[in-house]
Amino acid sequence: MLAARASTRNVQRIARSFATVVDSAGVKVAAVDSNRPTTSVTFLVKAGSRFETKAGVAHGLKNFAFKSTAKRSALGTVRETELYGGLLSANLSREHLALTAEFLRGDEQYFVDVLSSFLTSAKFTRHEFEEYVTPVMQGEIELSNADPALHALELAHALAFRNGLGSSIYATPHSHLTAEDIKAFAKSAFTKDNIAVVGTGIDQDSLARLVEQSLSKISTSSAFSSSPSSYFGGETRIQGHGGPQTVFIGFGSAGAPAPELAAISAHLSTTPSVKWSKSLSPIATALPEGTSVQTVYLPYSDASLFGLLVQGPTSASVKEAGKAAVTALKSASSLKGDDLKKAVAKAKFASASATESREGLVSLLGSKVLTGSASTLEATLSSLDGVSESSVSKAASALVGAKPTFVAVGDISSLPHADELGL
């Protein structure tokens, strides 16, 4: 009982430490000052692949980050960043482009300027596109196609949502992109309404002041529009060479993400709570040796993709594990009692522990800052408190009642079809 009370107090303390979102010169800003010796600042831009004007431009924009701007060359950015001992990174999702700087506390003025200069004065030169951006894009495309799990998830999004969220975060091989295409996309994306700034290890007032100075002249209008996501589903099979035999069994839903799906994902997860022990997941006990089932829950602003990624050394083992996974997913509609309490507690822990890392904090709360919605851990945990037996039953039934999204990557002559797994 005492441990439970202490845990609750800690969660409330962590939740309160995340500052209220403020508007700085039209840009939403939020920060957590945890008194650490290092700081990070992320500029989160609504420039993911779902908003592309041409296939692959979001991927190209991500790889143009930290190249030449009106203030400094790409080489100058590298040299100055190394002198400060900092790290720069760019990450792309289906909804956002995240530009992040990590550095020693006190160097925020320089690094906010580096991030903002890309948004305000990037040159998008042709020679940098051909010599630096294109080779990296091609390398990332090849790596994604060589990873059966990543390849399966990309195909699953295309089947589940078709357009919008179905757009790949990778350009197609030999795509006919130009630097001008990417420049035009950036011009539409880099507006105040599309940008949020999230900081850790920095005072919110200081960050807001720097953002106001650096982005005061950026455009205020947004040219982006995206139709609401719809879920479709479907099945596809891709011959793969190398890597484990892979099957993705998924379902999707349109609308705001439901906390019930997070609870179901936690319930089905095969990750044990005690190291070296066997998970008590209803799936884990039925898995053949060497075969894994990973729960996949990907919530977006207006839709969610939920599924089970099955991988194993042989098609027969994948088929056996896939049957167990489908049976367990269908039985989730009857989740109740202590099993439901455990699932909710695991989902809460996953959300809370994600905020321990900077990447997790931005992933969990960044998009909420951008939309101006409740951007605290407390709000996320409170939504899980509302999960009940009836709401889980309703969510699970609606999920498996939809058309499945089924992807097989590997030896497609022997990998199972959806109906062979009970779908």
Side-chain angles (χ1 to χ4, degrees):
M1 180 66 73
L2 291 176
R5 289 176 180 173
S7 176
T8 300
R9 287 196 297 270
N10 287 337
V11 165
Q12 290 172 346
R13 176 180 59 78
I14 294 170
R16 285 195 298 270
S17 72
F18 195 80
T20 303
V21 179
V22 299
D23 193 288
S24 181
V27 176
K28 296 178 177 64
V29 179
V32 181
D33 190 357
S34 51
N35 294 315
R36 295 179 178 179
T38 59
T39 298
S40 76
V41 174
T42 295
F43 279 42
L44 194 70
V45 187
K46 194 167 73 172
S49 57
R50 74 173 296 176
F51 302 108
E52 287 180 334
T53 52
K54 183 177 181 179
V57 289
H59 189 199
L61 181 61
K62 189 265 290 189
N63 285 299
F64 246 123
F66 315 122
K67 300 298 186 290
S68 297
T69 68
K71 289 192 172 184
R72 53 182 68 85
S73 66
L75 181 59
T77 297
V78 172
R79 285 179 171 174
E80 290 179 16
T81 298
E82 288 184 343
L83 284 172
Y84 280 99
L87 295 172
L88 299 174
S89 61
N91 293 286
L92 181 68
S93 70
R94 283 177 160 75
E95 296 195 296
H96 304 112
L97 169 66
L99 305 168
T100 300
E102 300 172 76
F103 48 90
L104 292 171
R105 196 179 184 99
D107 293 335
E108 54 269 12
Q109 184 166 357
Y110 167 74
F111 284 98
V112 168
D113 184 65
V114 169
L115 296 175
S116 61
S117 63
F118 176 63
L119 302 184
T120 58
S121 64
K123 292 184 176 181
F124 298 105
T125 61
R126 187 176 66 178
H127 77 273
E128 286 182 322
F129 176 69
E130 294 175 350
E131 295 175 16
Y132 303 117
V133 175
T134 298
V136 174
M137 289 174 64
Q138 293 295 338
E140 290 176 339
I141 293 168
E142 291 173 6
L143 286 174
S144 69
N145 290 334
D147 184 336
L150 187 54
H151 197 188
L153 288 175
E154 287 297 308
L155 294 169
H157 278 85
L159 288 172
F161 304 112
R162 297 183 184 175
N163 301 313
L165 290 175
S167 299
S168 175
I169 59 176
Y170 301 99
T172 57
H174 313 296
S175 58
H176 300 290
L177 281 178
T178 66
E180 288 300 317
D181 293 330
I182 298 170
K183 183 178 181 179
F185 179 65
K187 184 177 180 180
S188 299
F190 294 164
T191 65
K192 291 182 178 180
D193 291 341
N194 287 338
I195 301 170
V197 181
V198 181
T200 65
I202 185 171
D203 176 72
Q204 174 149 319
D205 291 338
S206 299
L207 180 58
R209 185 168 56 254
L210 290 172
V211 169
E212 184 173 0
Q213 293 171 357
S214 59
L215 296 181
S216 60
K217 296 181 181 180
I218 202 167
S219 172
T220 57
S221 61
S222 175
F224 278 154
S225 62
S226 177
S227 57
S229 296
S230 297
Y231 175 72
F232 299 94
E235 181 174 352
T236 191
R237 305 169 67 80
I238 301 294
Q239 186 71 38
H241 303 282
Q245 302 298 309
T246 302
V247 161
F248 176 77
I249 306 161
F251 297 89
S253 63
E260 287 78 10
L261 296 184
I264 294 172
S265 177
H267 170 65
L268 296 176
S269 174
T270 59
T271 302
S273 297
V274 179
K275 193 174 183 179
W276 307 120
S277 67
K278 195 168 182 69
S279 170
L280 298 180
S281 163
I283 300 175
T285 56
L287 291 182
E289 189 68 27
T291 304
S292 66
V293 175
Q294 178 185 348
T295 56
V296 176
Y297 174 49
L298 300 171
Y300 297 103
S301 60
D302 62 350
S304 300
L305 182 63
F306 182 95
L308 299 159
L309 184 69
V310 186
Q311 293 188 292
T314 65
S315 297
S317 65
V318 168
K319 183 176 182 179
E320 184 179 346
K323 286 182 177 179
V326 170
T327 300
L329 179 56
K330 288 183 175 180
S331 67
S333 59
S334 59
L335 187 61
K336 58 183 63 175
D338 286 344
D339 287 337
L340 177 59
K341 291 179 181 179
K342 287 189 294 184
V344 171
K346 288 178 68 176
K348 283 185 175 182
F349 177 78
S351 295
S353 62
T355 64
E356 293 294 314
S357 69
R358 288 165 171 165
E359 298 84 357
L361 188 68
V362 172
S363 175
L364 183 67
L365 303 175
S367 60
K368 296 180 181 179
V369 173
L370 186 57
T371 59
S373 58
S375 55
T376 63
L377 174 61
E378 190 174 25
T380 301
L381 300 184
S382 296
S383 67
L384 285 164
D385 284 329
V387 173
S388 64
E389 293 179 2
S390 59
S391 65
V392 166
S393 177
K394 182 178 179 181
S397 298
L399 195 70
V400 299
K403 184 178 180 180
T405 294
F406 186 84
V407 180
V409 179
D411 183 5
I412 58 175
S413 64
S414 59
L415 280 170
H417 291 265
D419 57 358
E420 295 178 88
L421 301 182
L423 294 173

